[in-house]
Amino acid sequence: MIEVLVVDDDTRVARVNAAYVEKVPGFHVAGQAHSALDALRRVEALPRVDLVLLDHYLPDRTGLEVVQEMRRLGHQTDVIMVTAARDVSTVQAAMRQGALQYLVKPFAFAGLRAKLEAYAELRRTLDGGGEAEQAEVDRIFGALSAPSEPGLPKGYSPTTAELVRQCLMKADGALSAQEIAERTGVSRQTAQRYLKLLERTGRARLTLKYGDAGRPEHRYVWATRA
């Protein structure tokens, strides 16, 4: 099993990402951390950490500073950045400091699964050892370039789907399509369309709020809290 440390300052997001990891065959969550200090302590304390899914925006230090400190302490643990940081300078710094992959939030499960499966393929390739001809070198580098899978019906945007999912997941209770639209910046019709998709796939549950008159308001709650 590939042992994974999930690092995200948002505890709810960390739990969701950990659940995603556990759904991919061959991967196991060794622990979760919500700050840079906590992440470094867990890397030191856990019996084995093969891979860190690392957020960049942490409350005490940045994810890139965590990578620097890990390397200074002699930990060669692999890193996949999983973050909303999308400025080119941060992406470039992550590459230079040895991050194997960079997954921009928001993302769907299929996107993370593709990165993890590519990482597992890389490990299988490297475990063979020995010398590598050019074809083998190309295969090693190619293992990291597996495309993310949208995993959505035709006509749906993975980015929009993840925006709606994250908004619903972080909400304290049920939300209407209008409330989702206001929080994400999409139109009410678009929010309604993606909420219905989440409901059909079992990710969200529909509730009805009855007022004094007229049709009941459709409200949606993240299925894990339903």
Side-chain angles (χ1 to χ4, degrees):
M1 298 290 285
I2 296 173
E3 298 292 335
V4 182
L5 175 63
V6 177
V7 183
D8 198 293
D9 68 319
D10 188 319
T11 57
R12 189 177 298 171
V13 172
R15 287 196 299 270
V16 170
N17 289 347
Y20 280 173
V21 171
E22 292 282 2
K23 290 171 64 175
V24 181
F27 288 83
H28 174 257
V29 175
Q32 298 179 38
H34 311 298
S35 69
L37 180 60
D38 191 17
L40 291 168
R41 284 175 174 171
R42 289 180 181 272
V43 169
E44 289 277 357
L46 288 168
R48 192 176 98 238
V49 177
D50 301 306
L51 175 67
V52 180
L53 295 186
L54 183 59
D55 189 13
H56 181 61
Y57 296 121
L58 299 172
D60 45 353
R61 301 173 72 177
T62 68
L64 293 181
E65 288 174 327
V66 172
V67 177
Q68 291 171 351
E69 186 64 12
M70 283 171 50
R71 300 300 182 243
R72 189 187 71 80
L73 294 171
H75 298 292
Q76 299 304 314
T77 307
D78 293 325
V79 174
I80 294 178
M81 299 297 294
V82 180
T83 176
R86 59 184 69 207
D87 57 286
V88 173
S89 61
T90 301
V91 176
Q92 186 180 53
M95 292 174 58
R96 288 175 173 171
Q97 293 176 28
L100 293 179
Q101 286 277 16
Y102 199 106
L103 186 59
V104 176
K105 295 178 181 177
F107 57 87
F109 166 62
L112 179 58
R113 180 183 63 195
K115 301 298 185 188
L116 293 179
E117 289 176 347
Y119 173 73
E121 175 62 25
L122 173 66
R123 285 178 63 95
R124 285 191 293 269
T125 301
L126 295 177
D127 284 346
E131 296 183 351
E133 300 295 336
Q134 184 62 53
E136 187 70 5
V137 172
D138 291 343
R139 182 185 171 202
I140 291 170
F141 279 88
L144 290 173
S145 61
S148 300
E149 302 170 27
L152 290 170
K154 185 177 180 180
Y156 286 84
S157 161
T159 300
T160 303
E162 191 63 16
L163 274 175
V164 174
R165 185 191 73 84
Q166 289 279 354
C167 183
L168 199 62
M169 182 187 69
K170 294 179 180 179
D172 293 329
L175 296 176
S176 67
Q178 182 60 41
E179 289 169 326
I180 290 284
E182 291 171 355
R183 297 186 186 193
T184 61
V186 303
S187 69
R188 190 193 67 79
Q189 291 81 4
T190 296
Q192 185 68 55
R193 182 165 170 254
Y194 282 81
L195 286 167
K196 288 182 177 179
L197 174 65
L198 289 172
E199 182 198 1
R200 288 198 303 270
T201 56
R203 309 285 294 284
R205 183 171 69 90
L206 172 65
T207 63
L208 298 177
K209 181 181 179 181
Y210 291 88
D212 295 333
R215 299 172 59 185
E217 182 183 40
H218 287 203
R219 300 180 69 80
Y220 296 83
V221 63
W222 188 244
T224 56
R225 299 194 306 278

